[in-house]
């Protein structure tokens, strides 16, 4: 079992920045890929960004060049730096980890509004 705890959501103005963090505990040695997905009201959950244990990253086209995902394996933590935020980035962001199964965090709200 893997437990994921997110932090860092909140309110930002368009063009602003936020940083999300997600720390894993439990069977952390089995974790390969970690990342963040997001879900807006009325929409399906979608990929934002992921990163493997070796640092290989993947981004949704909508966030490329604005979001940066990084990982500190020693701290079992993944970070999502979100810059140049847009109103359409407003969503609940969920941390995700794959360790022979998919695990999810509780979600953190990100609201981009003036």
């Amino acid at each position: 079992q893997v437990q994921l705890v997110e932090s860092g959501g909140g309110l930002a103005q368009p063009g602003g920045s936020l940083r999300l963090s997600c720390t894993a505990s439990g069977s952390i040695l089995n974790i390969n890929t970690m990342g963040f997905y997001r879900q807006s009201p009325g929409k399906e959950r979608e990929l934002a960004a992921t990163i493997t244990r070796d640092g290989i990253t993947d981004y949704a086209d909508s966030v490329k060049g604005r979001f940066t995902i990084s990982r500190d394996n020693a701290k079992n933590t993944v970070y999502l730096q979100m810059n140049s935020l847009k109103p359409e980035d407003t969503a609940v962001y969920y941390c995700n980890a794959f360790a022979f199964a998919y695990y999810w965090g509780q979600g953190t709200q990100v609201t981009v509004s003036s």
Side-chain angles (χ1 to χ4, degrees):
Q1 292 288 324
V2 173
Q3 294 78 42
L4 302 170
V5 178
E6 302 136 338
S7 61
L11 175 65
Q13 292 188 339
S17 298
L18 286 172
R19 188 174 86 150
L20 305 182
S21 300
C22 174
T23 299
S25 60
S27 301
I28 56 175
L29 293 179
N30 296 326
I31 296 175
N32 184 1
T33 301
M34 295 184 70
F36 289 90
Y37 287 68
R38 63 186 187 181
Q39 188 167 19
S40 303
K43 295 186 178 181
E44 294 187 352
R45 192 173 298 187
E46 64 177 9
L47 167 74
T50 60
I51 185 168
T52 68
R53 180 185 296 273
D54 296 329
I56 299 171
T57 59
D58 187 29
Y59 295 94
D61 288 342
S62 59
V63 308
K64 282 180 181 177
R66 300 187 299 120
F67 290 11
T68 302
I69 192 167
S70 60
R71 182 168 174 171
D72 186 333
N73 289 326
K75 295 182 178 180
N76 306 313
T77 299
V78 63
Y79 306 95
L80 185 67
Q81 178 65 44
M82 305 184 292
N83 298 330
S84 301
L85 284 163
K86 303 177 180 180
E88 50 263 43
D89 295 318
T90 296
V92 178
Y93 284 70
Y94 295 92
C95 182
N96 170 271
F98 181 73
F100 304 117
Y102 288 100
Y103 296 90
W104 297 94
Q106 78 282 3
T108 185
Q109 177 70 45
V110 170
T111 302
V112 183
S113 175
S114 56

